[in-house]
Each structure stands twice: as structure tokens, then as C-alpha cells.
Amino acid sequence: MKFHFGASCPLPGHIQTIPRAELYAILRVIVCVTHGVAYIITDSLVNVELFEKGRIVCLASANSDLWVRLFECIDAKQLEVTLEWVPSHRGSKDK
């Protein structure tokens, strides 16, 4: 099953950066997943790398408030989450 998601909403918190916005988008997807496996493809390399380094590293980052919410959601729903990085803004000549 594929789930296509699009949303527009204010970014919570005082920090207003692109990595934070990308992490918030990942969080919003996880909130919508009710059970099982969440396989998220993203161009947010910084968030994929943090996630792969583990919870302790994520919780020590500038966006720890969002990471806390993400991990609480994953734990509460017992989700299996995979983040896969893909390059962004590829031109037609790169395809």
C-alpha cells in the first residue's frame, strides 16, 4: 500500500529551519500511521543520518522536541520505521 501525503501547516517552535520542517513532515506521516511498518523516502539527509545514529543522538539535537514526539509515537504504536534518503532537486538530465 502506498500512502501519498501532502499538507500545509505552521511549523511549531522558535527554530524555523529546513531540516526542522523536513523532520516535522516525517513526524506528521508517523502520526498518521496506525500500525506496522512505515517506510519513508525523504531528501532530508541530515534527518536520515540522525535517525540512523539512534535515539540518543536525535534527542541531543537542536530539534529534540520533535524527535521526542516522533519516538513517543513510534513506541506507542510499536512501529517499524525506515527512513531512506534520495537526492533532491534532480534535473531531467540526471534521470
Side-chain angles (χ1 to χ4, degrees):
M1 174 164 90
K2 290 186 179 183
F3 180 67
H4 298 275
F5 182 78
S8 175
C9 58
L11 184 59
H14 295 292
I15 300 171
Q16 300 288 302
T17 63
I18 292 170
R20 183 175 178 82
E22 292 169 335
L23 177 58
Y24 188 65
I26 292 167
L27 172 61
R28 297 308 309 157
V29 170
I30 294 300
V31 166
C32 293
V33 176
T34 59
H35 64 281
V37 177
Y39 184 81
I40 300 172
I41 300 170
T42 177
D43 67 351
S44 179
L45 183 58
V46 66
N47 286 313
V48 170
E49 288 177 341
L50 278 169
F51 186 76
E52 289 175 348
K53 289 178 181 177
R55 187 177 302 226
I56 293 171
V57 174
C58 294
L59 298 179
S61 74
N63 295 314
S64 62
D65 60 317
L66 296 182
W67 285 110
V68 165
R69 291 170 57 189
L70 182 88
F71 286 117
E72 285 175 349
C73 196
I74 290 170
D75 293 345
K77 298 177 184 183
Q78 299 179 347
L79 299 175
E80 178 184 329
V81 177
T82 299
L83 300 182
E84 179 182 341
W85 177 78
V86 295
S88 61
H89 307 287
R90 294 183 63 183
S92 60
K93 67 180 179 181
D94 295 332
K95 291 181 181 178

